[in-house]
Amino acid sequence: MPRSGSSASSTPMSRRLFLTATGAVSLGAALSACGGDSGGASSSSKPVSQADIDKAMTTPTELMFWTWVPNIAQEIALFEEKYPAIKVKVVNAGQGTPQYTKLRTALKAGSGAPDMVQVEFQAIPTFTITNSLLDLRPYGASALKDKFVDWTWGQVSGPKGEVWAIPQDTGPMGMLYRKDIFDKHGIEVPGTWDEFASAARKLHKTDPDVYLTNLAANQVAAWHGLLWQAGAKPYVTSGSDITISVDDPVSRKLGEYWGALADEGVIGVEPDFTDAWYAALNKGKYATWLTAAWGPVFLSGSAKATAGKWRAAPLPQWDAAKPSSGNWGGSTTAVIRSTKNPIAAAMFAQFLNSNPASAKMFATEQFFFPATKALLTDPEFVGDAPSFYGGQKVNQLFADIGGTVNSSFQWPPFLDQAATDWTETVGKSLADKSDTVRALGTWQSRLTTYAKNQGFTVKSS
């Protein structure tokens, strides 16, 4: 879904708050408590009987669901229609980090936590490491695997096959571009990053008021998406071991590339999702937006003055013979391990995101980019041709891009710290036009120190 810039991956979290969130113990203690299992202590994977499911779903029950999704009552109504004994109370506890902070507080207190919760893909490890999520396998979740895009299932799966959440929406990355600006300056749609860099220099030299793109210095989520596309594996966790590689050759390739363009002043680096950024998009200051599959709808509502002038394309490639993309955004429904109603909560999480009518509502009412294979091949969905993009079938394009997203990318169990340190090092280097490659080294050093202090054994890549 569209991000306002206040996602879990962009808002700082102090070490003190992190320790508070994990129960005022070190992360190492949390690791020890879960037996060194990176996915947390799994509950039994023994299937719950159909008789127990039938009994639970016909017993009057009230579930609490924390979510920031607007107008979700219509999807919930479908669930309550099928299971009239179950009532779902929705609480908006904030979007992204504000909700996660409140959730950690409730978990620490041992009361006040919901039964189900909205969790972005990148935030799942921060809750599995503290044993806060329920493994959904005993409730039939494994049977849903083939309904979802492969890489999304990888994002919600644990190392032992646990199913920690059910995917809801996604954000495979592509490039939105101003066709009128490209045509005016004779710029071809860049198919490679080398072509993109050449176009950036040509465009800004020809018209100093226009930049080919803006790589926001506050947007670590976009950086992670570009790392993902480039084939990086910045975080690999196994039990209490973690390999941190935010300064490896792949990362340095990105640092050299974007650092050079920023230093030359041929791209913008201003913060995104601000009034100035919205105004820049409407005035034609930027000829592209490197964004996610939720971007087309978001842009059409945020840059109305440019209707009809935009088109969509895949991200430029590092290797044109091996198309690839990363992901930015997307979320899931997870069940809190402490719920007193695990069967009903697990059934809700599954129904909400896999029931065809409910999943389609998310695509047509909230304009989420789907995670289910059925919707991504639905002629009505992929055949949509909005006039804002000159009648281009942008959903089809991003559905195709989704098939090029690597399924093995992992997030760290301390994402907030990674985001804070990125903003203060790599992001700052872009904004200051200083040495981005050196900043990557500082980011690596900070994260390594932090992980060791939390009890991880940090390995070299």
Side-chain angles (χ1 to χ4, degrees), residues 66-222:
W66 284 13
T67 178
W68 56 77
V69 175
N71 303 317
I72 199 170
Q74 52 199 335
E75 284 91 349
I76 291 174
L78 293 175
F79 174 80
E80 293 179 335
E81 181 180 357
K82 181 170 183 178
Y83 302 106
I86 313 297
K87 303 302 178 187
V88 179
K89 180 181 179 181
V90 172
V91 174
N92 186 339
Q95 178 173 339
T97 298
Q99 178 198 266
Y100 303 147
T101 300
K102 292 175 183 175
L103 179 59
R104 291 181 179 111
T105 299
L107 292 170
K108 179 193 173 190
S111 64
D115 298 285
M116 302 85 63
V117 63
Q118 193 90 20
V119 182
E120 295 158 294
F121 289 115
Q122 68 268 23
I124 290 175
T126 68
F127 289 103
T128 57
I129 199 70
T130 53
N131 299 330
S132 301
L133 303 185
L134 184 70
D135 181 3
L136 301 179
R137 285 179 298 176
Y139 312 96
S142 298
L144 299 178
K145 177 180 179 180
D146 290 342
K147 293 181 180 293
F148 290 91
V149 175
D150 293 346
W151 69 264
T152 68
W153 200 256
Q155 289 283 293
V156 301
S157 299
K160 298 179 180 177
E162 301 94 331
V163 179
W164 296 123
I166 306 298
Q168 185 168 98
D169 65 300
T170 70
M173 290 184 71
M175 179 178 69
L176 304 181
Y177 67 95
R178 284 282 298 268
K179 183 177 185 301
D180 58 324
I181 295 176
F182 275 35
D183 289 347
K184 179 181 178 181
H185 297 286
I187 296 173
E188 298 291 332
V189 177
T192 67
W193 286 114
D194 284 343
E195 293 172 358
F196 186 88
S198 297
R201 295 179 176 109
K202 174 183 176 180
L203 178 59
H204 192 62
K205 181 179 180 180
T206 304
D207 187 345
D209 292 329
V210 181
Y211 299 85
L212 185 62
T213 200
N214 180 66
L215 185 69
N218 67 327
Q219 193 51 265
V220 66

Side-chain angles (χ1 to χ4, degrees), residues 260-281:
L261 294 179
D263 183 53
E264 293 174 39
V266 297
I267 63 167
V269 293
E270 69 176 306
D272 55 8
F273 301 102
T274 65
D275 289 345
W277 181 77
Y278 290 122
L281 289 174

